[in-house]
Amino acid sequence: MLQLPSANRVYAEDAPRLMRAELAAFSEAVGGIADIDDVELGGLRYVRFTTPELTEQRLALLSNASSLYGLFERVQPDLLRPVRIRPLDKFDSDLLTIQKYSGKTNEQFTRLLLNVTCLAMAEPLAMLRRPLHVLDPLCGRGTTLNQAMMYGFDATGVELLERDFEAYERFIKTWLRTKRFKHTAESGQLRRQKHKLGRRLDITYAPTKEEFKAGRSRTLSFRATDTLHVDEIFGRHAFDVIVTDAPYGVQHGSRQSGELQRSPRDLLAAAVPVWTRVLKPGGALGISWNDLVLPRAELLDILSRAGLKPREGAPYEQFAHRVDHAIVRDLVVATKPA
């Protein structure tokens, strides 16, 4: 596997190691991938692995690896044969790359987090077989929502800050119009039992007019409200997968008793049980976070106390990487018993 060049120099340094861990997660889910390591050929670095057979199933998963640029079969020591990949992507990559703002999660890492979370489900190949419904309960300006759209999934985001809601609404409406994708969009106040909870955006869209007319459309929803309201808004067992990039320090929060809760530890302790209620049995929750502000053991305890089963051991403990001097980002995945 030749990796996609990354504009983020720090992430690029860790990308081969993260790719190896992602491939190991693939193997744990479906088997048949072994001997994962690095190799240099023609002055370029590749991630190498062996497989007894490149089945349709394995090729489909590999085609969606987070930083895949090209896939090759090694037919001689110094001769590679290209393998045609078949990614799930339904749209142009600018859906992920146009937005530029401080604090945006790396697009490759967002895809990695979504991939390994989907593979942890009771049905690990569901991402290849049917449209999943993905929730990002701390969605910021929607990188996860855009990645879910790329895969042809239904996507729902929740974010407390109205400025992020407004920025995403402007972006996605403009993008859909510019690309001339058939869609409908509705926005307004979010209310429950006559109480205003925030704002809402609901979009129905399809990659082609024919799919839209045939009813093969997808949904995109955004709620500008407290993440602790997700069970009230969506009800139990609404989502197949929940993925989120948790606060690294003070960027996000929730409101309890009229006060903004800024501690990532306090936020996740309060929110994870709520998120668990909206997750379907057999579904999976994936969280990335700053290990310098919340030790991994504490986060695992939060997940376990909410009734989830964290995935432990290799490869799930090999994803930690430095973002900057104050952030060491890691991820954890947990499943809800079926």
Side-chain angles (χ1 to χ4, degrees), residues 230-259:
V230 296
D231 56 343
E232 302 173 44
I233 298 169
F234 302 111
R236 297 173 64 85
H237 307 162
F239 302 98
D240 299 288
V241 171
I242 300 175
V243 294
T244 197
D245 191 26
Y248 297 159
V250 296
Q251 296 101 320
H252 300 277
S254 67
R255 293 193 183 277
Q256 293 177 299
S257 304
E259 296 183 359

Side-chain angles (χ1 to χ4, degrees), residues 61-83:
L61 285 175
L62 293 169
S63 295
N64 295 288
S66 61
S67 56
L68 172 67
Y69 192 41
L71 182 64
F72 303 87
E73 178 187 5
R74 194 172 185 179
V75 294
Q76 292 181 18
D78 295 315
L79 181 62
L80 302 180
R81 176 185 293 132
V83 175

Side-chain angles (χ1 to χ4, degrees), residues 135-197:
L135 169 68
D136 184 343
L138 299 168
C139 71
R141 297 191 184 183
T143 303
T144 298
L145 307 186
N146 295 340
Q147 180 57 61
M149 288 178 66
M150 289 289 285
Y151 277 174
F153 297 165
D154 293 318
T156 298
V158 175
E159 173 56 49
L160 181 64
L161 299 179
E162 286 201 14
R163 65 174 180 267
D164 286 342
F165 173 89
E166 293 167 353
Y168 187 73
E169 181 179 25
R170 288 193 301 270
F171 163 74
I172 197 62
K173 286 182 175 180
T174 300
W175 187 84
L176 288 167
R177 287 196 302 267
T178 301
K179 294 288 186 175
R180 299 187 176 183
F181 290 118
K182 184 68 175 177
H183 68 281
T184 61
E186 181 184 353
S187 58
Q189 299 297 321
L190 175 64
R191 296 183 179 275
R192 183 170 178 81
Q193 298 178 349
K194 299 182 180 181
H195 295 291
K196 180 182 175 182
L197 296 181

